[in-house]
Amino acid sequence: MAKILVTGGAGYIGSHTVYFLRKSGHSVIVADNLSRGDRANVPEGILRVVDLRDTAKLASILREEQCEAVIHFAAYIAVGESTKAPELYFANNVGGSTSLFEAMQQAGVNKLVFSSTAAAYGNPQRVPITEDQPIAPINPYGDSKVMVERMIELLDQYRGFHSIRLRYFNACGAEPEAGLGERHDPETHLIPLVLRAVLTGKPVTVFGEDYDTPDGTCVRDYIHVSDLAQAHINAVEHLLNGGAGGAFNVGTGVGHSVREVLSAVEKVTGRKAPYISGPRREGDPPRLVADSQKLQNTLGWKPVRADLERIVADAWEFAQRHGA
Ligand code: UFG
């Protein structure tokens, strides 16, 4: 069992990963500046409120806590915001990462799991997407993640880092028993917005129904946040056991359209999901589906909650407990 520093552990995916790391017997310290995370997501006693750009403080936490590896989530994630204020994404996502990597070097920690994104592929040439497809982000958020991925590759090459970059598809679902779920402010993601529509009666807007997909709406690979969390545990244990690093897609391999999500919500909740038709949202690729064979073969990972209704049921339970 290892001691692991989790940056961004007060956020959505980070907090689920902390929960499962501890359940697997690992010891965790969370570094989060709480700018977008929630203190309530972190168990008592393990939160260190620190901005990633404070290199000295991070290095002293890593040393004092004798951390053996880092899982790095802390980042801004809003695609729309990144097109309006790209500098925010460079400062926080890229600047924060540079500082963290410097702190890791100072403290002699060289094992790293990094939270990357399917946005790295932009509009993919082929679906399902394999890791060797061209990296071609189409917004500053995606670019900020790609820049950090490149830094990590160079640190692996020149600084003896051992790193795994996980490229997530559409994280969703919740772990309601643990009080954890998706709550962004503002919320932009489909499933929580459809559930909010069910709870409030105010319709969600479907962004485009004229795509070249079976029912005209966009297709995404929805991956349960707890399956995603498990991928991080497999990844960090693989590195701690001396395994090789690299980039891995994390998805189920199955795509669902926006309409299918609406139907799943109606089936799970037993209520109407009110929606209106709107224009396409800028920068939305028609289909994003992962080929995650590499992750399955190398790290022995398998999604066990891939069923869309299961995902929606967990998100629904969380939404009912915590309000829309
Ligand atoms: N959608 C709607 N209405 C809404 C919100 C979303 O129709 O109110 C549609 C979108 O057009 C898209 C699908 O629902 O087709 C999923 O949208 P999300 O905003 O939930 O997720 P994205 O696929 O846009 O984004 C996710 C991650 C990003 C990441 C991206 C990779 O949230 O961080 O995948 O392309 F960059």
Side-chain angles (χ1 to χ4, degrees):
M1 292 303 117
K3 185 113 186 220
I4 296 161
L5 184 81
V6 177
T7 77
Y12 172 46
I13 305 170
S15 61
H16 284 79
T17 303
V18 169
Y19 174 72
F20 285 105
L21 277 167
R22 284 160 57 96
K23 263 189 121 172
S24 311
H26 296 293
S27 213
V28 177
I29 295 292
V30 168
D32 200 303
N33 67 3
L34 300 179
S35 66
R36 304 216 172 159
D38 185 348
R39 183 185 287 275
N41 285 339
V42 185
E44 206 54 40
I46 66 167
L47 175 65
R48 305 289 178 271
V49 180
V50 56
D51 193 285
L52 283 198
R53 282 162 283 188
D54 189 343
T55 313
K57 193 164 170 190
L58 277 178
S60 75
I61 293 170
L62 283 165
R63 269 197 215 98
E64 278 159 26
E65 301 289 349
Q66 301 184 334
C67 295
E68 293 151 73
V70 173
I71 305 182
H72 175 31
F73 292 98
Y76 293 159
I77 59 152
V79 172
E81 179 187 57
S82 82
T83 63
K84 293 190 184 82
E87 64 286 349
L88 211 59
Y89 282 69
F90 304 143
N92 190 63
N93 295 4
V94 183
S97 298
T98 311
S99 166
L100 170 67
F101 302 154
E102 171 64 30
M104 287 173 66
Q105 288 183 63
Q106 288 177 14
V109 179
N110 65 2
K111 307 227 168 16
L112 172 68
V113 178
F114 176 60
S115 160
S116 191
T117 172
Y121 300 110
N123 288 309
Q125 293 175 350
R126 276 173 290 111
V127 176
I129 303 169
T130 45
E131 290 82 356
D132 54 5
Q133 282 209 36
I135 296 300
I138 52 169
N139 53 62
Y141 162 70
D143 267 301
S144 73
K145 289 287 181 178
V146 167
M147 286 178 205
V148 177
E149 278 212 35
R150 185 67 190 133
M151 289 196 310
I152 291 172
E153 281 183 297
L154 295 169
L155 290 168
D156 278 5
Q157 192 176 345
Y158 294 107
R159 281 293 195 194
F161 272 46
H162 301 278
S163 307
I164 286 181
R165 294 162 275 137
L166 296 177
R167 295 179 183 151
Y168 317 154
F169 284 66
N170 287 61
C172 50
E175 198 61 38
E177 295 308 320
L180 300 174
E182 186 167 15
R183 278 217 282 189
H184 295 109
D185 184 21
E187 188 55 77
T188 60
H189 295 107
L190 181 65
I191 292 176
L193 287 176
V194 176
L195 294 174
R196 185 179 291 176
V198 168
L199 285 170
T200 62
K202 290 190 196 130
V204 64
T205 304
V206 173
F207 295 144
E209 293 171 301
D210 57 350
Y211 284 98
D212 184 16
T213 57
D215 65 18
T217 63
C218 285
V219 170
R220 294 287 180 274
D221 186 331
Y222 294 93
I223 168 88
H224 196 296
V225 64
S226 303
D227 282 338
L228 193 46
Q230 188 57 50
H232 293 78
I233 294 164
N234 291 20
V236 79
E237 288 178 350
H238 177 78
L239 293 174
L240 288 163
N241 290 331
F248 299 86
N249 290 335
V250 197
T252 65
V254 176
H256 292 288
S257 70
V258 174
R259 270 192 204 287
E260 286 177 314
V261 170
L262 286 163
S263 302
V265 167
E266 294 193 336
K267 192 152 177 220
V268 166
T269 63
R271 303 197 208 167
K272 268 252 145 305
Y275 75 91
I276 51 173
S277 305
R280 291 182 177 196
R281 182 172 68 178
E282 200 190 328
D284 268 344
R287 285 185 76 210
L288 287 175
V289 179
D291 180 326
S292 60
Q293 278 311 312
K294 185 179 169 194
L295 182 65
Q296 303 203 22
N297 296 340
T298 316
L299 300 186
W301 173 85
K302 233 184 160 37
V304 294
R305 307 187 204 193
D307 177 59
L308 184 59
E309 283 174 26
R310 166 70 196 268
I311 289 172
V312 169
D314 285 346
W316 174 233
E317 197 175 329
F318 180 79
Q320 283 176 298
R321 286 189 197 190
H322 296 269

